[in-house]
Amino acid sequence: MADTDADGFEVIGVTPATVLKGGTLSAGGGLLLQVRSAIQRLGDGQVLEVQSAEPAVKEELAAWSRLTGNQMLADLDAGDHTRYFIRKGASGVPREKPDWGIKLPRRPGGRLDMRDWFVGRLGDVPEEAPAYLGFVPRGAVREPGMPEFPYTLNRRPEVWADNIADLYEQATAQQWNASTDIAWDSLPRLPDDVERAVCQVMTFLAENEYAALYIPSRFLPRINAQYTEVVLFLATVINDEARHIEAFTKRAVANGGGLQYSASLTEWSLHSLLVQEDYFQSSFLLHVLGEGTFLDLLDFLARFAPDPVTADVVRRARQDEGRHVAYGIAHVREQLRADPTKSEALVTAAEERSAVLQATTGANPMVMEALAIISGGGSLPEQMARGVEAVRALFNDMHEYRVRRMLQLGLDEATAQKISRLHTPNFM
Amino acid sequence: MGRAVIVGAVAYDPRVVTIWEGIRDYFHGVGLPTDYVLFSNYDSQVDALLSGALDIAWNTNVAYARCEQRANGGCRVLAMRNTDLDFRTRLVTRKGSGISAIGDLAGRRLALGSTDSAQAAIMPLHFMRQSGIDPEAEVQILHFDIDVGKHGDTGSSELEVLRAVHEGRADAGMVGHATWLRELEMGRVNSGVVESVWTSPPYDHCNFTALPDFDPSLAADWADALLQMDYGDERWRRVMDLEGVSRWVRGRKEGYRPVLEALGVEVK
Ligand SMILES: [Fe+2]
Ligand SMILES: [Fe+2]
């Protein structure tokens, strides 16, 4: 029961483009469905031959053809079956053909890698994609007359990054499990002041991770699904952030401490990030400045962590954040390359965010103290002094690396310096 | 361009609003301002057309016949869907019921759709009478009166007919060929139990009806414009799919003769 290519025989002046062998299949037993699909694959005016040994099919095929705007040309007795010839009516639609015959290469170990799927229709990432493409998988042949989807990001440069497929493959390869991959059993008992500092920092980290989860979640449904690699990558980001919230929360409650204080300053800072409506500006603020700064903070914590378990948690989170920052840099850089004047929008975004925090002291003292205790090894005077020094160095590093990342985007030194200073009171 | 052409349609389903918003946009685009009025049933729509409140009515064949009756056969049929031409009724039976033609229905249980549905009630009764059967006296009729006033446009009564035959509550049933073929194609007919044994002669289904006094050149322009609606055009594809049309065709009156006859409408 399959379509076969006609072997070129001529009947009543028409050559069928396709032959459908129906055997004794009844009209309602699947034959009409097969006929519809076969007709759909034809071009306007082409002819389908249906062979059927089932007499009742005749009436149904004729009526079906009439109702569907196709034309039953003739039926011919062929002994043990009848041959029906149906001409496809004018559908008015130039029929695209789906891909066929593509076989992706395998990488060593049998890997089927996203980086290799940019072939055929699937590989054709459009510069611009109409919102009515909805959830049609890129490369599939669509019918006309589909509804508009509520996408607002319908142009490739608005969302794309040239390393997006690499990042996606890295993301799926580097997933981890916060329940079982961390050696929670080996968490040593810590002095109260150090444990409290760790718990305070974990509280702060989890708080920031919520922003990192909610922001891409807001933008994902606005991205045209034709840019599927971006959508899938953001889904991994969202999952990463969920795991970070989980892991940091778990660390806070794993060792006899608990979640500590949240400062309104932090909430104002994160709120100003969340309400950003422009994806370009948001991407820059979150992935480049925010998560970039977070990388340095996580590095700092990995270095000074009082125990290997805490160090492992922040190191794993840091690896994930590296991908998020890499996406942000590539994505923002691509847009700045296309339109260097867009750098003004980045300054504006940083200024707007900075204005929100202007009335405040500019840093969360609970977190500052906790970072000093962790890096100083405790809360004794000499430990605090050492710790405060390390935190000062951290802030210098964070500024320096923010500037460096912005230079990578193609921003000039002065603009980068300006934006980085504006960002200072915000970690994320 | 003068005032908008007012077209009536029956809201047999919420999607009718989508259809007519689309058709209004279409006519606006071609410079023939058109507006629509929705009715809950065809009787009101026919009244509105006859009273002059409508220029054109999107009628079922039954509603059209009522218009002809009151306009003494002078109505104009402006346009139709390709699927309205040569509509047919199917006689479907339970396999092994011994019914193979309409003449075998005497003494049997026959399921029919809504009383005002041409394809599932009016025409079936007419064809039975033509075959010499008095349906009221000789046939045990099981009527599914659902959405009366909408002339079977919802198709739900026809689905009930098919269900009754499947379940053995009726020996046979009569439905329009569109419903039959759709159910058949979707695999919802159990071919081991139910089969189609007879197809009626053709009769036409819906049309755009105008009264004799509607400006003939405007009528022609309007119909011409409608016929240009392109199924391949993104903008109209959805509207046409919802309306069940892939091509609008010019109206013809002769296809309605069997329906007028069935309803006892005599026109000059
Ligand atoms: Fe994170
Ligand atoms: Fe992140």
Side-chain angles (χ1 to χ4, degrees), chain A residues 22-67:
Chain A
T24 56
L25 190 63
S26 69
L31 187 68
L32 286 180
L33 270 182
Q34 283 192 311
V35 169
R36 187 182 286 272
S37 305
I39 291 262
Q40 179 155 12
R41 288 189 214 105
L42 297 184
D44 289 0
Q46 285 191 306
V47 173
L48 169 71
E49 176 179 343
V50 181
Q51 301 180 354
S52 173
E54 172 65 41
V57 152
K58 179 175 183 169
E59 178 78 20
E60 308 302 2
L61 271 186
W64 183 91
S65 301
R66 223 174 20 242
L67 272 178

Side-chain angles (χ1 to χ4, degrees), chain B residues 99-117:
Chain B
I99 302 168
S100 60
I102 201 161
D104 299 330
L105 287 171
R108 308 304 295 270
R109 296 171 304 163
L110 175 70
L112 293 180
S114 294
T115 337
D116 61 346
S117 160

Side-chain angles (χ1 to χ4, degrees), chain A residues 36 59-60 64 66 142, chain B residues 88 90 180 185 199 234:
Chain A
R36 187 182 286 272
E59 178 78 20
E60 308 302 2
W64 183 91
R66 223 174 20 242
R142 72 181 189 94
Chain B
R88 288 160 206 264
R90 290 294 187 97
W180 168 251
E185 181 179 345
T199 302
E234 288 288 347

Side-chain angles (χ1 to χ4, degrees), chain A residues 209 212 237 240-241 244 248 291 294 298 317 320-321 324 428:
Chain A
E209 294 292 358
V237 171
D240 290 343
E241 308 302 10
H244 298 170
F248 295 145
E291 291 180 318
F294 229 59
L298 294 172
D320 297 336
E321 294 305 340
H324 309 170
M428 183 64 89

Side-chain angles (χ1 to χ4, degrees), chain A residues 346-399:
Chain A
L346 303 184
V347 177
T348 308
E351 281 172 346
E352 280 170 6
R353 251 197 110 192
S354 149
V356 174
L357 296 191
Q358 237 155 34
T360 68
T361 56
N364 177 340
M366 299 285 219
V367 174
M368 300 300 283
E369 187 205 14
L371 291 174
I373 292 171
I374 291 171
S375 52
S379 51
L380 296 174
E382 64 276 16
Q383 292 171 318
M384 277 307 285
R386 212 167 44 234
V388 166
E389 195 46 52
V391 173
R392 195 184 355 258
L394 166 66
F395 271 74
N396 285 336
D397 284 351
M398 290 193 301
H399 170 69

Side-chain angles (χ1 to χ4, degrees), chain B residues 108-254:
Chain B
R108 308 304 295 270
R109 296 171 304 163
L110 175 70
L112 293 180
S114 294
T115 337
D116 61 346
S117 160
Q119 65 267 26
I122 293 166
M123 298 311 289
L125 294 169
H126 174 62
F127 293 130
M128 279 189 266
R129 285 187 203 102
Q130 278 189 332
S131 314
I133 292 184
D134 177 357
E136 277 81 16
E138 298 177 62
V139 182
Q140 219 179 307
I141 291 176
L142 185 60
H143 258 299
F144 289 100
D145 275 321
I146 297 164
D147 296 328
V148 173
K150 314 218 189 281
H151 296 186
D153 259 14
T154 63
S156 37
S157 74
E158 293 173 77
L159 297 180
E160 288 302 324
V161 169
L162 291 178
R163 186 171 305 152
V165 180
H166 268 107
E167 293 172 1
R169 285 178 282 132
D171 303 307
M174 305 269 253
V175 294
H177 69 175
T179 297
W180 168 251
L181 281 161
R182 189 186 60 238
E183 294 300 295
L184 199 61
E185 181 179 345
M186 291 302 139
R188 292 191 286 249
V189 173
N190 183 343
S191 305
V193 178
V194 176
E195 62 184 344
S196 162
V197 295
W198 177 80
T199 302
S200 78
Y203 53 90
D204 286 353
H205 203 257
C206 294
N207 72 50
F208 284 105
T209 315
L211 292 185
D213 60 359
F214 182 54
D215 176 0
S217 78
L218 184 53
D221 287 350
W222 196 87
D224 288 348
L226 184 68
L227 264 54
Q228 295 298 313
M229 191 187 263
D230 180 4
Y231 192 50
D233 189 319
E234 288 288 347
R235 291 169 300 171
W236 320 123
R237 177 71 169 225
R238 171 81 175 149
V239 167
M240 294 178 81
D241 276 342
L242 288 176
E243 189 49 63
V245 54
S246 57
R247 188 166 49 89
W248 294 102
V249 299
R250 219 162 275 290
R252 62 177 190 188
K253 287 180 70 145
E254 65 272 19

